[in-house]
Amino acid sequence: MCRRVRFLLPTLRILAALLLHQGPSEALGGSRLCKTGFLEDVYHASVYRSVHEGQPLLNVMFTDCGAQRRIKYETSNPTDFRIDGDGVIFAARTFDISPKQTKFFVYAQDEETQDLWQVTVKISLRPQHAKDPVPGSFEVKEITFPPQRKHNGFLQRQKRDWVIPPINVPENSRGSFPQDLVRIRSDRDKNLSLRYSVTGPGADQPPIGVFIIHPVSGQLSVTKPLDREQIAIFHLRAHAVDVNGNQVENPIDIVINVIDMNDNRPEFLHQIWNGSISEGSKPGSYVMTLTAIDRDDAKQPNGMLRYQILSQTPDTPSSNMFTINNETGDIITLAAGLDREKVQRYTLIIQATDMEGNPTYGLSNTATAVISVTDVNDNPPEFTSMTFYGEVPENRVDIVVANLTVTDKDQPHTTAWNTVYRIVSGDATGRFAIRTEPNSNDGMVTVVKPIDFETNRMFVLTVAAENQVPLIKGIHHPPQSTATVSITIIDVNESPYFSPNPKLIRQEEGLMPGSVLVTFNAQDPDRYMQQTVRYSKLSDPANWLKIDPMIGQITTIAVLDRESMYVKNNMYNATFLATDSGIPPMSGTGTLQIYLLDINDNAPQVFPREVEICERPDPNAINITAVDADINPNAGPFIFELPFSPLDIKKNWTITRINGDHAQLSLKISSLDDGIYNIPIQITDSGNPSLSNTSYLRVKVCSCDMNGYCSGVAPIIGTGLGTGAIIAILLCIIILLTLVLMFVVWMKRRDKERQAKQLLIDPEDDVRDNILKYDEEGGGEEDQDYDLSQLQQPDTVEPDTIKPVGIRRMDERPIHAEPQYPIRSAAPHPGDIGDFINEGLKAADNDPTAPPYDSLLVFDYEGSGSTAGSLSSLNSSSSGGEQDYDYLNDWGPRFKKLADMYGGGDD
């Protein structure tokens, strides 16, 4: 029997006149004004006992009298009920309605003015008028579209004021399909021909076709069994239109709940669960948690699980060593006696059953829990013997002396099994150490410091064995946790040693060969062996020393020199070897360090050895210093002096002391000819007694440019020559050698031509009219074209009457009868030159007026009797200032020096 259920909500009190801009008084019959607020003071709704999350319950109406207010709704019980912006109240969660009336409040607040309105909502249980339907069958209800009101001939659209309670459909139904659920109709189907339809997921949206509606009768049906685990709630919307497709009713919402059936077994997250528990744990200790899930509704008995232990393997020491919390799946220990050394692993079969563990109706599944018993340190290590023995040669280190063995029942290679050995007594000096061999857990007694047999012949050690972690409380060490180790020391032949090593002595340098320095003895540590020691020299870089092979006395065989290249920082090192007569023989080395004291045995030398100086203008001075192989106080400060001979040194140069180690050499005259000069400098050190030395400074005098460089020599750029530069230099050398060879050939040919001619004097080549340079190096006498007729006294050419009366030079020949000097013949053969000179020499020796008596004639004589005239006026200070010598600049380059010397003024 079908029942028609109509849900009529309160009618709207604000009529369509509000929409047609009529006054509030007209809308309310002309006697009352429109009042903003809820249309009812109390709203009622009746529902079935169980409500589901999202299920609409009722609609509360609120009017703002056309003011277009922004209204925000809230409920006083947001945990159970919520309200949307249209005033529809939904269930916020799935729960059962209390038999007593449920009461809460709904608030409406203006978001701009913060005005607040309140209304009461009461929810009560719907009375039951019929028996429960047979499973799989449904009572077809009729749902009628809410009536629509008219005003002035116009239909007025009502707000969502019609709420349909949800339709419950059990999952996995076996009934025939399609199966009728509910009939939807409109009161206007009496006057119009209407068509019905539904939309939403399950109808025209995926999954499509689960629900269908008869377009004429409005019968809503389900076409196949439902599965709650896939979709638990369907939200549909029903529509009513006329034959032209025009909507005649507002759509209504239909909620279809799929009722859960127990169609899913519990499933464990893992089939095998692994856990652990320490041995010796007390009852009630937590082990692990097993978790199973059931796809059925967890809030219904179909999805409520219960756990239990079906079996335990092994069942020792008790068959109930563990228990499980039937609701949470937590496994805890139930009995004492967990011992890893007896049982290392337990296997439990765990069962999970739904329907709250009902063995008749519930579905179940099983999983395996594997519980490992972890080790704790409840067994101390025990020595396998009370005494261990070992021996070691003396002076050996990092050698295993004895092997200590222990037993431990705990799990191997854990902190409860790993053994740490400790020396309790018998090793006050720390000669031994015990390390643990990780694989076998044995203790390796090792020597870490050398042991002298002559001092200790035996050691007796007391050792203890412990684990890396302490024993648990209540466990005591057995007697086997300590043992004795007896170690014997073996005597071996040891190397002799020098003491002290190195040995330092102080000795002045210059010690003569054969002098005894010191006796350098070695000691033999083997007091219990009859042995002799022999000495030999191992290292003597300068070969200055020798050692007596029997007594070790060291003697010099050469002069000790502190300035030797083998002496570093005044220290000379020599190494000697001492060898004993043992089997096998052993040897040791010793170093003798000789600190050599300096004596003043080295004269200072000028530094640098070569310099350059400008002839003029400034700078025409250079700084020099001295080097002395000796050290203070036998070195500086130094005294720098120029020697008195030759005279032109002090005439041309001067030296000025700057400080104790430096001096300045400068030109004393205004200028000097370009060339290279060897300046002797006498340097005296500060030793006691002091040493002096005259060393030569090679000075290159040159004309300098404005930068102070020699104008004829370009500055050297770079530090090396390329391949092209080297080839160019070689080519230049070859060309130069070729030119020299050609010049020599030409000179040979010219000499042959001169032998055929008489040796005559060309007036243009008269040497008396030229300045002769006697310090010029040439190729020899055969390369000089001299007129030998000039080798005679100038007085024989000019008469004495031309000399001023009363003026004579010191070396001038007095007026006496002149001897007859030989006259060289005009023969062309040059071989008579030697005879001519010898004859002139004999004549001069017999001439009592020839100065200076027994010497050779002076051929560079200049004076009143010189055919070149007198140049004394050039050296006269009285007349030099009255003459103008600028005309010398016009005489050519030969007189340039004279022009520079006398043409510049008094300087």
Side-chain angles (χ1 to χ4, degrees), residues 327-340:
E327 293 186 2
T328 63
D330 295 341
I331 298 177
I332 59 176
T333 58
L334 183 62
L338 291 174
D339 189 353
R340 189 205 65 85

Side-chain angles (χ1 to χ4, degrees), residues 383 385-389 404 459-463 482-486:
F383 283 104
S385 176
M386 296 299 296
T387 305
F388 296 89
Y389 298 93
L404 311 181
F459 287 87
V460 178
L461 310 179
T462 300
V463 297
T482 60
T484 301
V485 182
S486 180

